[in-house]
Amino acid sequence: MAATRSTTAAPAPNTAMRTLRGDRSPGEFAMAIRRAAREIGEHVSCDARYIGRVETGEIRCPNYAYERVFRHMWPDRSLAELGFAPRTEVRRRGAAAAPPGPATGGPDRPPPPGDAGALLHREALRLHDPHHPDEENDDVRRRTFLSSGPTALAAVIGLDGPARAAAPRSLPPLPGSGLLPQQTAPLRRKVGAAEVNSVEQAVRDIRVLDDAKGADALFELAGQSLRSAYVLLNDGDYSTAVERRLQSGAGELAISVGWLAHDSNRLADARSFYSEALATARMAGDPALEAHVFCNSAFLARDAGRPREALRAAQAGQAAARHLDSDRLLSLLALREAGAWALLDDRSACERALVRAYTLFERGESEADPEWMSFFGEAEIAGLEAQCWSALGEWDRASERAEQAIALQGTQFVRNRVLYTAELAHDRLGRGDLAGAAHHASTAVALLGEVRSARVRGMVADTADHLRAHRAVPEVGSFLAEYDRLAA
C-alpha cells in the first residue's frame, strides 16, 4: 500500500526580520550579517537566498551560529521577537514528519539523518557550533564520515544508489561504489531545484570542513561528489534556469576539489580540476566562476614554482572580474599578482600590486562579493603579504606580517592559523633566529594534530630539515625531538 503524505500548512512569513532589513536589499542585509559574524569570530555563509528563506518563513529557527550573530546584532531581542519559532518546537515537528525525497540542503535544512550526506552536513554544523545538541559527543559519527569512502559525499546530491542515476556506457563504474553502474543507455533524470541546492550546499560544507580540518581527509570524498554533479549536468533533464545554476555549482565544486588536491600536495590533480572548472565557466559564460578559477590557478602555479604562469593567471582573473563590482575579489587577485612578481624578484612590480590590493580592500565589502571569499579578511591579506616579503628575502617584514596574520585570524580557520604559524617559523629561520624558528615550528606541529594538510606538513618538514644542522641549540633540539617523535 502506498504511504500517505501528511499535509502541512505553508510557513508564515517572518515580518519581524523583514522590518529589520528595512530599505536594504537582501544582499546588503546578508553582508551586514556576515560583517557582524566576523566581529564575534563566527562564520556564516549568509547570502540573499538565505535572507529570502528567512523572510518567507522557510527557516523557522536559525542554527546556533546564526542565533549568536542575531543576538549580537539585536541583543535586546529574543528569537521569538525576531520572528522565529522555538527550537524545541521546530525539532519536534521535524522528527514527527520527516519529508520524503532528497533533501534540499542548507544550513537549517540538513539531509535526512542516517545517510552519508547527513554526516557531512552534521560535521559542518558541529564546526560552526561545538555545542550543537545534535553534535555533542559526535566523535564516532565524525570518524565514520572521515572514513566512509568515496561514496559518502555522493549522498549529499542524491546519487547514492543505482536506482537514482545511471551513466552512459563510456563512463566506467567506480569500484565498490554502486554509484554509476554500466547501462546500455543513459537514464535521463529530472533535475530540479532540490538537486541544485544540494550541489551548492556540498560546496559550502566542503569549505567549512576544509577551513577547520584541512584537505587530506576530504579529497577523495569530494572528488566523488564532483563526478556525481557532472552526471547530473551531462545526463540530467532540466530547465534553462536550472542549467545555469547547475553549471555554476558544478564549476564551484570542481574548484573546491582542485583546492583540496592543492592542499594535499596533489598539484597535477589540482591543475586538471581547475581546467575542468575553467571549461565549465567558459561554456556557461560565467565571468565570476572564471575569475575564481584563475584566482586559484595563480595560487597553484605559485606553489608549483611557475611564477610566469601565476602572473598570467592572476592578470586573467582580474580581466574576468573587472565588471563584477567586487573590489574585494580584485584585491585578492592583485595579491595573487604580487606573489608572482615576488617570485620573479621584481620588487617594484610586487609593491605596486600590493598597494593596489590594499586600496581595493579598503573600499570595503559589496553585495557582489562572492560567497566563497568568506576567508578573505585582514588576516589573509597580511598572510599573503608576508609570503611576498619572504620570497623577496625581506625576513623582518615577512615575520611582522605573519605575526599579524596569526593574531587576526578567526578561530574557525584552524588550517590557516597553522599555515601562518609555519610561515612565521620559516621567516624566523630566514632572519637567522634559530630559537624563534624552533618555537613557532613547535607551535605549528602541535596545531597539526587538528589539521590534515600535506601542504602545511611539507612547510614544517622543510623548516625541520634546515634546523637539523643546528641541533645543539636547545630550542632546536627540543623541537626536532618532538617533531621526529610525531613523524615516526
Side-chain angles (χ1 to χ4, degrees):
M1 177 169 27
T4 59
R5 251 181 229 189
S6 61
T7 59
T8 58
N14 188 330
T15 56
M17 289 295 284
R18 177 62 187 89
T19 300
L20 288 170
R21 175 161 67 88
D23 295 333
R24 288 174 288 186
S25 71
E28 290 170 334
F29 195 39
M31 184 173 66
I33 291 171
R34 295 197 304 271
R35 187 183 301 116
R38 286 196 295 273
E39 290 173 358
I40 60 173
E42 192 54 76
H43 174 77
V44 294
S45 298
C46 189
D47 56 13
R49 190 170 70 88
Y50 180 87
I51 299 303
R53 294 174 62 205
V54 167
E55 292 181 357
T56 60
E58 182 182 349
I59 295 176
R60 300 184 60 240
C61 183
N63 67 26
Y64 286 104
Y66 277 100
E67 179 181 346
R68 283 194 294 271
V69 177
F70 293 159
R71 290 189 183 280
H72 171 65
M73 296 177 74
W74 301 287
D76 58 337
R77 299 185 185 226
S78 65
L79 281 183
E81 290 169 327
L82 293 174
F84 294 108
R87 180 167 281 105
T88 52
E89 177 185 331
V90 173
R91 289 187 175 168
R92 200 162 45 238
R93 290 188 182 181
T104 59
D108 304 276
R109 296 181 64 187
D115 72 7
L119 288 171
L120 169 72
H121 195 82
R122 286 176 184 158
E123 177 66 0
L125 284 180
R126 189 194 67 80
L127 293 170
H128 274 312
D129 182 3
H131 303 294
H132 192 291
D134 289 339
E135 304 310 320
E136 292 175 0
N137 304 314
D138 198 32
D139 288 344
V140 173
R141 281 185 289 183
R142 182 148 43 93
R143 284 195 298 271
T144 302
F145 161 69
L146 292 176
S147 63
S148 56
T151 62
L153 279 180
V156 176
I157 56 177
L159 289 179
D160 53 339
R164 295 189 180 184
R169 284 180 294 179
S170 59
L171 187 63
L174 297 174
S177 71
L179 176 64
L180 300 173
Q182 288 182 312
Q183 301 285 336
T184 56
L187 174 64
R188 305 295 291 183
R189 175 187 175 178
K190 181 66 177 177
V191 178
E195 288 77 13
V196 178
N197 287 343
S198 294
V199 172
E200 293 169 347
Q201 187 59 37
V203 175
R204 296 186 185 101
D205 288 345
I206 289 168
R207 191 177 303 135
V208 170
L209 290 166
D210 173 55
D211 287 338
K213 293 294 180 184
D216 291 5
L218 298 172
F219 174 69
E220 296 294 342
L221 305 178
Q224 181 57 54
S225 183
L226 174 64
R227 184 169 183 171
S228 301
Y230 274 104
V231 169
L232 289 179
L233 184 61
N234 294 328
D235 297 325
D237 183 13
Y238 38 72
S239 67
T240 301
V242 167
E243 180 181 24
R244 286 196 296 269
R245 285 183 60 194
L246 190 56
Q247 284 180 314
S248 177
E252 288 291 345
L253 197 52
I255 293 172
S256 294
V257 178
W259 163 246
L260 296 177
H262 180 178
D263 199 44
S264 301
N265 273 347
R266 299 172 169 94
L267 303 190
D269 288 338
R271 189 179 180 122
S272 176
F273 285 119
Y274 289 157
S275 296
E276 185 74 34
L278 181 60
T280 302
R282 292 276 173 82
M283 287 187 289
D286 188 338
L289 181 61
E290 185 172 335
H292 191 182
V293 176
F294 280 128
C295 183
N296 279 39
S297 297
F299 191 13
L300 173 66
R302 179 194 180 283
D303 276 5
R306 298 192 295 268
R308 286 290 177 188
E309 181 180 322
L311 179 62
R312 290 193 298 270
Q315 292 172 340
Q318 291 171 78
R322 188 166 295 131
H323 302 295
L324 296 179
D325 197 29
S326 173
D327 290 324
R328 288 292 170 92
L329 175 56
L330 289 171
S331 174
L332 178 56
L333 287 161
L335 284 164
R336 297 286 189 238
E337 180 183 337
W341 285 123
L343 282 180
L344 290 167
D345 202 27
D346 192 328
R347 182 190 179 96
S348 61
C350 175
E351 290 182 333
R352 287 194 299 271
L354 285 173
V355 169
R356 190 166 71 252
Y358 274 96
T359 300
L360 290 162
F361 184 85
E362 289 166 1
R363 291 178 184 174
E365 297 178 321
S366 80
E367 185 177 341
D369 292 340
E371 183 181 343
W372 58 265
M373 287 190 65
S374 58
F375 72 95
F376 186 59
E378 292 182 350
E380 181 71 9
I381 198 170
L384 292 177
E385 184 186 351
Q387 292 178 0
C388 291
W389 297 125
S390 178
L392 290 167
E394 294 277 354
W395 303 114
D396 288 343
R397 297 180 74 172
S399 296
E400 177 187 350
R401 296 304 278 154
E403 287 177 331
Q404 290 177 353
I406 295 168
L408 292 167
Q409 186 59 272
T411 57
Q412 72 272 24
F413 296 104
V414 181
R415 193 266 321 284
N416 280 3
R417 286 171 53 219
V418 185
L419 171 67
Y420 301 149
T421 305
E423 176 72 31
L424 180 56
H426 170 76
D427 297 337
R428 292 288 189 184
L429 181 62
R431 64 186 289 193
D433 180 4
L434 300 177
H439 167 73
H440 293 296
S442 295
T443 303
V445 168
L447 289 170
L448 277 173
E450 305 175 42
V451 174
R452 299 179 65 182
S453 166
R455 182 171 64 102
V456 179
R457 286 200 307 274
M459 293 172 63
V460 177
D462 183 66
T463 298
D465 288 344
H466 282 87
L467 285 172
R468 291 192 185 280
H470 309 281
R471 189 183 290 271
V473 177
E475 294 86 352
V476 173
S478 297
F479 158 67
L480 290 174
E482 179 65 10
Y483 175 80
D484 291 340
R485 184 186 69 80
L486 293 175

